[in-house]
Amino acid sequence: MASTVDSNIFSSVPALQSNLGILSPDQIELAKILLENGQSHLFQQWPQLGVDDKQKLDFFDQIARLNSSYPGGLAAYIKTAKELLADSKLGKNPYDGFSPSVPSGENLTFGTDNFIEMERKGVVEARNAAFVLVAGGLGERLGYNGIKVALPRETTTGTCFLQHYIESILALQEASNKIASDESQRDIPFIIMTSDDTHSRTLELLELNSYFGMKPTQVHLLKQEKVACLDDNDARLALDPHNKYSIQTKPHGHGDVHSLLYSSGLLHKWLDAGLKWVLFFQDTNGLLFNAIPASLGVSATKQYHVNSLAVPRKAKEAIGGITKLTHVDGRSMVINVEYNQLDPLLRASGFPDGDVNCETGFSPFPGNINQLILELGPYKDELQKTGGAIKEFVNPKYKDSTKTAFKSSTRLECMMQDYPKTLPPTARVGFTVMDIWLAYAPVKNNPEDAAKVPKGNPYHSATSGEMAIYRANSLILQKAGVKVEEPVKQVLNGQEVEVWSRITWKPKWGMIFSDIKKKVSGNCEVSQRSTMAIKGRNVFIEDLSLDGALIVDSIDEAEVKLGGLIKNNGWTMESVDYKDTSVPEEIRIRGFRFNKVEQLEKNFTQPGKFSVED
């Protein structure tokens, strides 16, 4: 029976009190939490006992899920919401009392001795790392109805993002195990954070493709739950307008990855297994594995607790800047500051011109690309203090300037990259800056939005993302000594892009620059209209002149030399209108498709030494 105190609480909400008989003790406890936190409105419309009883119990099932999936439960969520909504109404600046300065980090230039050494160190460390992919989003913003990781990274081979990520991790795993001092073999754990929107489809993609060559035991899917929506400044939970027994929910943001890892028990397991690093990355940056080995090498060399991957950033460019913030009370942190907050923060702190380019032609505050490398030990210790909770923010859309009512319900949100906000000043927090052509080409905008981007700004579309892969691979081969012809400019889906030779290779062919250099020799050249896809491991390019299309696949035991003049009609690029619904979504969002007129295609399925010359 409810105690007298409980009875007093419930007596103020007769609609709920009359239904207590159908509730379990746990559900009565949840009801009490709701009432103590100003949520009596949820029960105002409840009918008497015997009407809709199943829906009432469903309501408490949802409340139990919302309560258990949030660090500290619903009471903590509502308390934080009230504080953040009050600050938002007052227009409180989260950076009050902080002054910005340029943090310290490592700037790497592709192909230099330092870069090559960092890549070498990164390969040594790779077997001591776990990889975490944040993949809770659908491709709707791209004009694609599937999950984003199922999108082709490029359409020369049709390899999807998830396959490329897994093959990259496996290539690192193999290279790292090969040089391990104790010769032991270790499987790199791969975690994918999913959501209600993506979970079953991600699992299906993995299962249909035999996990793309990874052992199923290496892969863990952690599903994030949504959080309750808020109706007003008092943080009253929002009911679904079509169902009075259901709370409206929305995604909480990718910051949930930390609490999910904490509650999964994986961090303890990894520490016990001797792991040292956790790498976090997002779902559609097709270049990111070009940057990972060297960044991991920097983390190991500098002993960074937190290493943010970054790219050079133009002043005022719409990408967050990594900034050191020092408070008047002595606290300091190195954190991502959103671009629209960085300029006013600098102006208010004695930098009259705000965010401006320095002598390098870039802002001194590097661009955050939301890829983090954390040292596992300090990370686990920190999460034990916080329970995995990340500093949240709220972004209500107010009806008018009085800020008393919202246009629609809001919710608390959190971001993966805000993890350093709670770290002590002794934490070693740095960054690694890499060339943008090498490391960053996210796919997030649909063709219509991309075409409206001001000239000179990045499109971040499926079109620009695929072209960036060909550019990066062409430049890497150029730096390895291949004469790759310069690109031509073309307008695809209303976006002017550079079209380089369509060069792709599997991660096992060349994961780091020193490996690629070993596979290229003599005088090699590739024309701009050419396509080259290398799918085998031991494929060597020697005195090759390619003018057309060449596709080579081979088993690991076959050593293949590509040389001589290979000339054919090749593949042509045909424009496609993104509005043409007769073309599959994943092609039309790019604005082109390949017409495979003619190619030389070779597949070596037997061990031995072979050469390909036309």
Side-chain angles (χ1 to χ4, degrees):
M1 251 320 274
S3 70
T4 316
V5 177
D6 292 353
S7 302
N8 289 344
I9 285 180
F10 295 123
S11 63
S12 62
V13 191
L16 173 60
Q17 190 175 32
S18 67
N19 281 284
L20 290 178
I22 59 165
L23 303 184
S24 68
D26 284 350
Q27 289 171 330
I28 288 173
E29 202 48 47
L30 287 171
K32 208 169 113 190
I33 290 169
L34 289 173
L35 297 186
E36 285 168 349
N37 287 278
Q39 305 298 325
S40 59
H41 67 284
L42 297 173
F43 306 102
Q44 298 295 359
Q45 302 299 315
W46 275 29
Q48 65 204 42
L49 194 65
V51 181
D52 296 346
D53 286 356
K54 186 188 176 303
Q55 287 98 310
K56 293 167 188 169
L57 294 175
D58 289 346
F59 169 85
F60 274 103
D61 285 346
Q62 185 193 20
I63 292 294
R65 281 196 307 278
L66 291 170
N67 190 58
S68 64
S69 63
Y70 185 84
L74 275 171
Y77 182 79
I78 294 161
K79 178 174 181 285
T80 304
K82 284 178 179 170
E83 290 165 6
L84 291 174
L85 286 164
D87 287 351
S88 174
K89 189 180 178 191
L90 293 169
K92 201 167 165 190
N93 181 350
Y95 299 116
D96 266 355
F98 284 102
S99 56
S101 58
V102 180
S104 66
E106 182 81 18
N107 285 279
L108 292 181
T109 302
F110 181 82
T112 60
D113 290 347
N114 186 35
F115 180 89
I116 290 167
E117 175 60 11
M118 288 302 147
E119 281 205 318
R120 187 193 65 76
K121 286 184 171 169
V123 172
V124 171
E125 290 294 333
R127 67 195 299 270
N128 302 321
F131 285 76
V132 181
L133 167 62
V134 175
L138 293 171
E140 291 157 336
R141 186 175 153 194
L142 285 167
Y144 172 66
N145 282 310
I147 54 172
K148 288 196 280 186
V149 292
L151 262 180
R153 171 179 174 259
E154 38 76 18
T155 50
T156 295
T157 65
T159 303
C160 73
F161 281 104
L162 188 58
Q163 178 176 356
H164 174 71
Y165 295 152
I166 286 178
E167 288 177 348
S168 299
I169 293 167
L170 289 173
L172 277 172
Q173 174 181 299
E174 191 172 353
S176 194
N177 281 333
K178 204 185 275 183
I179 54 176
S181 50
D182 60 359
E183 293 184 4
S184 67
Q185 299 301 295
R186 185 185 273 161
D187 292 338
I188 292 176
F190 180 39
I191 312 305
I192 306 173
M193 182 175 85
T194 59
S195 64
D196 286 333
D197 293 331
T198 64
H199 188 82
S200 60
R201 285 190 264 184
T202 305
L203 192 57
E204 186 183 13
L205 181 64
L206 288 165
E207 288 174 345
L208 284 175
N209 294 282
S210 309
Y211 285 74
F212 298 109
M214 201 171 243
K215 294 176 190 168
T217 49
Q218 277 175 264
V219 184
H220 291 267
L221 268 57
L222 298 177
K223 184 163 79 82
Q224 70 176 138
E225 297 294 339
K226 294 188 168 92
V227 290
C229 290
L230 307 159
D231 246 346
D232 56 28
N233 285 326
D234 295 325
R236 282 160 31 119
L237 302 187
L239 283 168
D240 182 329
H242 308 294
N243 180 1
K244 64 185 173 198
Y245 301 108
S246 177
I247 305 279
Q248 252 185 52
T249 59
K250 284 183 184 169
H252 190 219
H254 48 52
D256 275 353
V257 70
H258 301 294
S259 63
L260 286 170
L261 279 174
Y262 175 69
S263 58
S264 71
L266 287 167
L267 303 179
H268 286 282
K269 206 169 133 186
W270 295 342
L271 269 176
D272 290 345
L275 265 57
K276 193 172 178 189
W277 310 102
V278 189
L279 286 93
F280 296 86
F281 63 101
Q282 285 189 278
D283 46 18
T284 51
N285 176 9
L287 297 179
L288 80 102
F289 273 89
N290 291 343
I292 278 175
S295 306
L296 194 47
V298 169
S299 276
T301 305
K302 299 254 185 178
Q303 298 183 303
Y304 281 150
H305 295 158
V306 178
N307 182 7
S308 294
L309 273 65
V311 291
R313 173 184 161 277
K314 291 282 186 190
K316 302 180 183 63
E317 190 185 330
I319 172 175
I322 296 171
T323 310
K324 180 172 184 177
L325 296 176
T326 307
H327 198 269
V328 285
D329 64 13
R331 283 180 293 145
S332 68
M333 57 184 171
V334 175
I335 199 73
N336 172 66
V337 176
E338 288 305 327
Y339 70 96
N340 54 349
Q341 296 174 315
L342 181 57
D343 188 63
L345 179 63
L346 286 163
R347 287 175 192 276
S349 312
F351 296 86
D353 299 325
D355 184 20
V356 288
N357 293 328
C358 61
E359 65 283 355
T360 61
F362 291 97
S363 165
F365 300 94
N368 168 52
I369 61 172
N370 272 0
Q371 291 164 43
L372 299 174
I373 302 176
L374 306 183
E375 190 181 334
L376 177 57
Y379 176 53
K380 185 184 81 68
D381 292 345
E382 179 64 20
L383 293 196
Q384 271 175 319
K385 285 184 223 157
T386 63
I390 294 297
K391 289 277 185 199
E392 290 159 307
F393 61 95
V394 69
N395 190 15
K397 304 286 180 279
Y398 297 107
K399 274 188 180 166
D400 56 41
S401 59
T402 64
K403 295 188 177 181
T404 49
F406 306 158
K407 284 181 184 171
S408 60
S409 62
T410 189
R411 86 286 197 183
L412 300 191
E413 296 176 73
C414 62
M415 296 191 291
M416 172 175 87
Q417 66 271 25
D418 282 345
Y419 163 74
K421 281 188 173 175
T422 57
L423 294 179
T426 49
R428 290 186 293 277
V429 182
F431 60 79
T432 305
V433 176
M434 297 228 194
D435 304 292
I436 205 158
W437 65 262
L438 179 73
Y440 189 54
V443 175
K444 51 190 183 186
N445 289 328
N446 65 46
E448 223 163 330
D449 291 343
K452 292 177 194 156
V453 165
K455 198 170 167 55
N457 286 22
Y459 297 117
H460 292 168
S461 66
T463 313
S464 62
E466 179 159 354
M467 292 301 145
I469 288 161
Y470 303 139
R471 176 178 61 176
N473 290 344
S474 296
L475 289 172
I476 289 167
L477 286 190
Q478 274 187 355
K479 289 178 192 294
V482 180
K483 293 186 187 74
V484 181
E485 194 180 353
E486 290 300 300
V488 298
K489 283 204 159 74
Q490 214 172 320
V491 176
L492 301 166
N493 271 349
Q495 304 156 58
E496 188 180 71
V497 289
E498 284 185 351
V499 181
W500 289 79
S501 315
R502 273 68 67 207
I503 297 171
T504 65
W505 57 77
K506 288 275 189 198
K508 66 181 176 184
W509 181 75
M511 197 62 218
I512 59 173
F513 186 47
S514 53
D515 286 349
I516 292 166
K517 284 207 296 187
K518 286 177 196 151
K519 290 182 172 172
V520 174
S521 61
N523 288 315
C524 300
E525 53 186 12
V526 179
S527 68
Q528 184 277 333
R529 71 178 195 90
S530 291
T531 299
M532 178 168 68
I534 301 173
K535 299 178 179 182
R537 179 192 306 276
N538 293 307
V539 177
F540 295 84
I541 303 171
E542 196 178 309
D543 294 316
L544 169 72
S545 178
L546 175 63
D547 185 28
L550 172 63
I551 316 291
V552 181
D553 200 352
S554 60
I555 59 168
D556 288 358
E557 297 73 27
E559 189 178 300
V560 181
K561 189 189 111 184
L562 309 178
L565 172 65
I566 297 177
K567 188 175 172 70
N568 54 50
N569 290 323
W571 294 6
T572 59
M573 278 174 63
E574 295 177 348
S575 286
V576 172
D577 186 338
Y578 71 88
K579 297 190 192 87
D580 182 352
T581 52
S582 69
V583 179
E585 278 179 333
E586 63 268 26
I587 299 298
R588 69 174 185 260
I589 60 173
R590 292 162 205 276
F592 68 90
R593 66 177 154 204
F594 293 119
N595 181 9
K596 300 176 181 181
V597 181
E598 189 184 8
Q599 73 243 5
L600 177 62
E601 186 160 4
K602 293 284 188 181
N603 188 7
F604 298 91
T605 56
Q606 298 297 316
K609 291 195 171 196
F610 307 91
S611 66
V612 177
E613 296 181 35
D614 218 17

